[in-house]
Amino acid sequence: MNEALLSNAELELIEAIRNIRKAYPNGYENLVWYAQQLFDELVEMPPADEEDK
C-alpha cells in the first residue's frame, strides 16, 4: 500500500468525517455542515482574477 502525504486541511476533513457518527444526535448537523465547508474549500477553484496572473 502506498503512503500519501496529506495537507492539514485534508487531515482535518478526514477527522471531521470520522467524528460525524460520534456526534449523533448532539452536534451531528453542525459537524456535517463543518465537513461540507472544509470539502468546499478544498475543491474551490481559484477566483478568476488570480487565473490571469
Side-chain angles (χ1 to χ4, degrees), residues 7-28:
S7 69
N8 288 339
E10 292 167 333
L11 184 58
E12 189 173 353
L13 174 59
I14 291 169
E15 290 174 353
I17 292 170
R18 287 178 176 168
N19 287 324
I20 287 174
R21 282 191 149 197
K22 295 176 189 174
Y24 187 82
N26 299 326
Y28 169 81

Side-chain angles (χ1 to χ4, degrees), residues 29-49:
E29 291 179 7
N30 292 336
L31 197 49
V32 169
W33 178 86
Y34 178 66
Q36 182 65 54
Q37 294 302 310
L38 291 173
F39 177 81
D40 290 346
E41 289 174 13
L42 284 170
V43 299
E44 183 177 28
M45 299 304 291
D49 58 77

